[in-house]
mmCIF file of all heavy atoms in Angstrom:
data_model
loop_
_atom_site.group_PDB
_atom_site.id
_atom_site.type_symbol
_atom_site.label_atom_id
_atom_site.label_comp_id
_atom_site.label_asym_id
_atom_site.label_seq_id
_atom_site.Cartn_x
_atom_site.Cartn_y
_atom_site.Cartn_z
ATOM 1 N N VAL R 635 112.001 170.363 212.199
ATOM 2 C CA VAL R 635 112.663 169.505 211.223
ATOM 3 C C VAL R 635 114.058 169.165 211.760
ATOM 4 O O VAL R 635 114.827 170.063 212.112
ATOM 5 C CB VAL R 635 112.800 170.187 209.842
ATOM 6 C CG1 VAL R 635 113.289 169.188 208.804
ATOM 7 C CG2 VAL R 635 111.488 170.815 209.394
ATOM 8 N N LYS R 637 117.602 166.334 211.459
ATOM 9 C CA LYS R 637 118.346 165.540 210.479
ATOM 10 C C LYS R 637 119.277 164.567 211.194
ATOM 11 O O LYS R 637 119.882 164.942 212.206
ATOM 12 C CB LYS R 637 119.171 166.530 209.653
ATOM 13 C CG LYS R 637 120.152 165.939 208.692
ATOM 14 C CD LYS R 637 120.994 167.079 208.113
ATOM 15 C CE LYS R 637 122.191 166.541 207.381
ATOM 16 N NZ LYS R 637 123.024 167.586 206.799
ATOM 17 N N ALA R 648 127.032 159.467 201.547
ATOM 18 C CA ALA R 648 126.267 159.571 202.800
ATOM 19 C C ALA R 648 124.797 159.881 202.509
ATOM 20 O O ALA R 648 124.475 160.680 201.623
ATOM 21 C CB ALA R 648 126.859 160.660 203.667
ATOM 22 N N VAL R 649 123.941 159.228 203.260
ATOM 23 C CA VAL R 649 122.487 159.409 203.106
ATOM 24 C C VAL R 649 121.935 159.887 204.448
ATOM 25 O O VAL R 649 122.348 159.400 205.501
ATOM 26 C CB VAL R 649 121.839 158.065 202.690
ATOM 27 C CG1 VAL R 649 120.322 158.155 202.722
ATOM 28 C CG2 VAL R 649 122.320 157.633 201.306
ATOM 29 N N ASP R 650 121.015 160.847 204.400
ATOM 30 C CA ASP R 650 120.430 161.382 205.636
ATOM 31 C C ASP R 650 118.953 161.038 205.750
ATOM 32 O O ASP R 650 118.292 160.720 204.751
ATOM 33 C CB ASP R 650 120.571 162.915 205.656
ATOM 34 C CG ASP R 650 122.023 163.334 205.774
ATOM 35 O OD1 ASP R 650 122.766 162.680 206.539
ATOM 36 O OD2 ASP R 650 122.417 164.295 205.086
ATOM 37 N N LEU R 651 118.483 161.131 206.979
ATOM 38 C CA LEU R 651 117.056 160.967 207.244
ATOM 39 C C LEU R 651 116.581 162.227 207.962
ATOM 40 O O LEU R 651 117.112 162.585 209.012
ATOM 41 C CB LEU R 651 116.827 159.733 208.129
ATOM 42 C CG LEU R 651 115.362 159.361 208.366
ATOM 43 C CD1 LEU R 651 114.719 158.816 207.089
ATOM 44 C CD2 LEU R 651 115.242 158.313 209.474
ATOM 45 N N TYR R 652 115.617 162.889 207.366
ATOM 46 C CA TYR R 652 115.053 164.098 207.964
ATOM 47 C C TYR R 652 113.714 163.740 208.606
ATOM 48 O O TYR R 652 112.924 162.985 208.022
ATOM 49 C CB TYR R 652 114.805 165.158 206.892
ATOM 50 C CG TYR R 652 116.071 165.806 206.376
ATOM 51 C CD1 TYR R 652 116.813 165.209 205.358
ATOM 52 C CD2 TYR R 652 116.531 167.005 206.914
ATOM 53 C CE1 TYR R 652 117.974 165.798 204.888
ATOM 54 C CE2 TYR R 652 117.699 167.610 206.442
ATOM 55 C CZ TYR R 652 118.411 167.001 205.432
ATOM 56 O OH TYR R 652 119.559 167.593 204.965
ATOM 57 N N ILE R 663 111.823 161.342 206.039
ATOM 58 C CA ILE R 663 112.089 161.269 204.596
ATOM 59 C C ILE R 663 113.598 161.177 204.402
ATOM 60 O O ILE R 663 114.354 161.930 205.024
ATOM 61 C CB ILE R 663 111.531 162.536 203.905
ATOM 62 C CG1 ILE R 663 109.996 162.554 204.027
ATOM 63 C CG2 ILE R 663 111.939 162.619 202.431
ATOM 64 C CD1 ILE R 663 109.407 163.902 204.193
ATOM 65 N N THR R 664 114.010 160.235 203.562
ATOM 66 C CA THR R 664 115.450 160.082 203.340
ATOM 67 C C THR R 664 115.883 160.719 202.017
ATOM 68 O O THR R 664 115.099 160.795 201.065
ATOM 69 C CB THR R 664 115.878 158.593 203.376
ATOM 70 O OG1 THR R 664 117.220 158.494 202.939
ATOM 71 C CG2 THR R 664 115.026 157.711 202.493
ATOM 72 N N THR R 665 117.154 161.130 202.007
ATOM 73 C CA THR R 665 117.711 161.698 200.774
ATOM 74 C C THR R 665 117.943 160.596 199.738
ATOM 75 O O THR R 665 118.212 160.888 198.580
ATOM 76 C CB THR R 665 119.050 162.417 201.055
ATOM 77 O OG1 THR R 665 119.893 161.536 201.804
ATOM 78 C CG2 THR R 665 118.821 163.695 201.840
ATOM 79 N N PHE R 666 117.841 159.317 200.154
ATOM 80 C CA PHE R 666 117.944 158.227 199.178
ATOM 81 C C PHE R 666 116.585 158.094 198.500
ATOM 82 O O PHE R 666 115.628 157.560 199.051
ATOM 83 C CB PHE R 666 118.341 156.913 199.854
ATOM 84 C CG PHE R 666 118.539 155.785 198.868
ATOM 85 C CD1 PHE R 666 119.643 155.768 198.024
ATOM 86 C CD2 PHE R 666 117.611 154.765 198.759
ATOM 87 C CE1 PHE R 666 119.816 154.748 197.094
ATOM 88 C CE2 PHE R 666 117.774 153.736 197.836
ATOM 89 C CZ PHE R 666 118.883 153.733 197.001
ATOM 90 N N VAL R 747 120.752 159.640 195.165
ATOM 91 C CA VAL R 747 120.896 160.374 196.424
ATOM 92 C C VAL R 747 120.675 161.864 196.135
ATOM 93 O O VAL R 747 121.365 162.458 195.306
ATOM 94 C CB VAL R 747 122.278 160.138 197.063
ATOM 95 C CG1 VAL R 747 122.401 160.940 198.360
ATOM 96 C CG2 VAL R 747 122.471 158.648 197.348
ATOM 97 N N TRP R 748 119.675 162.433 196.781
ATOM 98 C CA TRP R 748 119.314 163.834 196.616
ATOM 99 C C TRP R 748 120.055 164.677 197.653
ATOM 100 O O TRP R 748 120.496 164.151 198.681
ATOM 101 C CB TRP R 748 117.794 164.007 196.768
ATOM 102 C CG TRP R 748 117.001 163.355 195.655
ATOM 103 C CD1 TRP R 748 116.974 162.026 195.338
ATOM 104 C CD2 TRP R 748 116.149 164.005 194.720
ATOM 105 N NE1 TRP R 748 116.148 161.821 194.246
ATOM 106 C CE2 TRP R 748 115.623 163.012 193.852
ATOM 107 C CE3 TRP R 748 115.760 165.338 194.512
ATOM 108 C CZ2 TRP R 748 114.740 163.309 192.804
ATOM 109 C CZ3 TRP R 748 114.877 165.640 193.481
ATOM 110 C CH2 TRP R 748 114.382 164.627 192.631
ATOM 111 N N THR R 749 120.161 165.967 197.382
ATOM 112 C CA THR R 749 120.767 166.879 198.358
ATOM 113 C C THR R 749 119.646 167.472 199.200
ATOM 114 O O THR R 749 118.673 168.015 198.650
ATOM 115 C CB THR R 749 121.536 168.007 197.625
ATOM 116 O OG1 THR R 749 122.516 167.379 196.802
ATOM 117 C CG2 THR R 749 122.208 168.946 198.604
ATOM 118 N N GLY R 750 119.776 167.330 200.513
ATOM 119 C CA GLY R 750 118.714 167.810 201.401
ATOM 120 C C GLY R 750 119.069 169.127 202.058
ATOM 121 O O GLY R 750 120.245 169.394 202.335
ATOM 122 N N LYS R 751 118.043 169.945 202.298
ATOM 123 C CA LYS R 751 118.249 171.231 202.996
ATOM 124 C C LYS R 751 116.986 171.564 203.770
ATOM 125 O O LYS R 751 115.876 171.415 203.236
ATOM 126 C CB LYS R 751 118.520 172.316 201.946
ATOM 127 C CG LYS R 751 119.192 173.546 202.486
ATOM 128 C CD LYS R 751 119.434 174.574 201.392
ATOM 129 C CE LYS R 751 118.490 175.738 201.580
ATOM 130 N NZ LYS R 751 118.269 176.593 200.471
ATOM 131 N N ILE R 752 117.161 171.998 205.010
ATOM 132 C CA ILE R 752 115.982 172.417 205.777
ATOM 133 C C ILE R 752 115.689 173.859 205.393
ATOM 134 O O ILE R 752 116.577 174.709 205.398
ATOM 135 C CB ILE R 752 116.240 172.296 207.298
ATOM 136 C CG1 ILE R 752 116.513 170.832 207.676
ATOM 137 C CG2 ILE R 752 115.057 172.853 208.087
ATOM 138 C CD1 ILE R 752 116.971 170.607 209.112
ATOM 139 N N ASP R 753 114.445 174.119 205.030
ATOM 140 C CA ASP R 753 114.042 175.466 204.637
ATOM 141 C C ASP R 753 112.821 175.829 205.479
ATOM 142 O O ASP R 753 111.692 175.490 205.110
ATOM 143 C CB ASP R 753 113.734 175.470 203.132
ATOM 144 C CG ASP R 753 113.256 176.820 202.649
ATOM 145 O OD1 ASP R 753 113.318 177.789 203.433
ATOM 146 O OD2 ASP R 753 112.798 176.906 201.491
ATOM 147 N N SER R 756 110.099 173.199 206.092
ATOM 148 C CA SER R 756 110.102 172.204 205.016
ATOM 149 C C SER R 756 111.462 171.553 204.849
ATOM 150 O O SER R 756 112.493 172.091 205.251
ATOM 151 C CB SER R 756 109.755 172.875 203.677
ATOM 152 O OG SER R 756 108.567 173.613 203.776
ATOM 153 N N LEU R 757 111.417 170.405 204.181
ATOM 154 C CA LEU R 757 112.636 169.756 203.699
ATOM 155 C C LEU R 757 112.650 169.953 202.189
ATOM 156 O O LEU R 757 111.651 169.668 201.512
ATOM 157 C CB LEU R 757 112.587 168.255 204.014
ATOM 158 C CG LEU R 757 113.568 167.397 203.216
ATOM 159 C CD1 LEU R 757 115.010 167.714 203.579
ATOM 160 C CD2 LEU R 757 113.299 165.908 203.445
ATOM 161 N N VAL R 758 113.763 170.439 201.678
ATOM 162 C CA VAL R 758 113.875 170.626 200.226
ATOM 163 C C VAL R 758 114.945 169.671 199.699
ATOM 164 O O VAL R 758 116.077 169.658 200.187
ATOM 165 C CB VAL R 758 114.242 172.089 199.885
ATOM 166 C CG1 VAL R 758 114.447 172.253 198.386
ATOM 167 C CG2 VAL R 758 113.154 173.031 200.371
ATOM 168 N N LEU R 759 114.577 168.872 198.720
ATOM 169 C CA LEU R 759 115.525 167.955 198.077
ATOM 170 C C LEU R 759 115.788 168.440 196.661
ATOM 171 O O LEU R 759 114.844 168.832 195.954
ATOM 172 C CB LEU R 759 114.962 166.534 198.014
ATOM 173 C CG LEU R 759 114.683 165.826 199.343
ATOM 174 C CD1 LEU R 759 114.188 164.404 199.082
ATOM 175 C CD2 LEU R 759 115.915 165.803 200.238
ATOM 176 N N THR R 760 117.056 168.403 196.269
ATOM 177 C CA THR R 760 117.380 168.786 194.890
ATOM 178 C C THR R 760 118.234 167.702 194.250
ATOM 179 O O THR R 760 118.966 166.990 194.932
ATOM 180 C CB THR R 760 118.155 170.130 194.838
ATOM 181 O OG1 THR R 760 119.280 170.040 195.716
ATOM 182 C CG2 THR R 760 117.300 171.301 195.227
ATOM 183 N N TYR R 761 118.120 167.630 192.924
ATOM 184 C CA TYR R 761 118.891 166.624 192.186
ATOM 185 C C TYR R 761 119.070 167.105 190.751
ATOM 186 O O TYR R 761 118.111 167.606 190.135
ATOM 187 C CB TYR R 761 118.148 165.275 192.202
ATOM 188 C CG TYR R 761 118.839 164.200 191.394
ATOM 189 C CD1 TYR R 761 120.089 163.711 191.765
ATOM 190 C CD2 TYR R 761 118.249 163.696 190.235
ATOM 191 C CE1 TYR R 761 120.732 162.742 191.013
ATOM 192 C CE2 TYR R 761 118.884 162.719 189.478
ATOM 193 C CZ TYR R 761 120.124 162.260 189.871
ATOM 194 O OH TYR R 761 120.768 161.307 189.112
ATOM 195 N N VAL R 778 112.242 169.109 195.044
ATOM 196 C CA VAL R 778 111.012 168.574 195.651
ATOM 197 C C VAL R 778 110.974 169.018 197.104
ATOM 198 O O VAL R 778 111.926 168.788 197.862
ATOM 199 C CB VAL R 778 110.961 167.033 195.529
ATOM 200 C CG1 VAL R 778 109.668 166.501 196.129
ATOM 201 C CG2 VAL R 778 111.078 166.616 194.066
ATOM 202 N N TYR R 780 109.047 169.044 200.742
ATOM 203 C CA TYR R 780 108.103 168.333 201.610
ATOM 204 C C TYR R 780 107.777 169.251 202.788
ATOM 205 O O TYR R 780 108.685 169.670 203.513
ATOM 206 C CB TYR R 780 108.731 167.054 202.178
ATOM 207 C CG TYR R 780 109.174 166.028 201.152
ATOM 208 C CD1 TYR R 780 110.365 166.190 200.445
ATOM 209 C CD2 TYR R 780 108.430 164.883 200.925
ATOM 210 C CE1 TYR R 780 110.783 165.238 199.519
ATOM 211 C CE2 TYR R 780 108.848 163.912 200.006
ATOM 212 C CZ TYR R 780 110.020 164.109 199.309
ATOM 213 O OH TYR R 780 110.445 163.173 198.400
#
Side-chain angles (χ1 to χ4, degrees):
V635 189
K637 173 187 167 179
V649 172
D650 293 320
L651 186 70
Y652 287 84
I663 295 145
T664 170
T665 50
F666 184 72
V747 179
W748 293 61
T749 302
K751 200 180 108 199
I752 298 172
D753 178 9
S756 308
L757 162 66
V758 176
L759 297 183
T760 52
Y761 177 65
V778 181
Y780 300 78

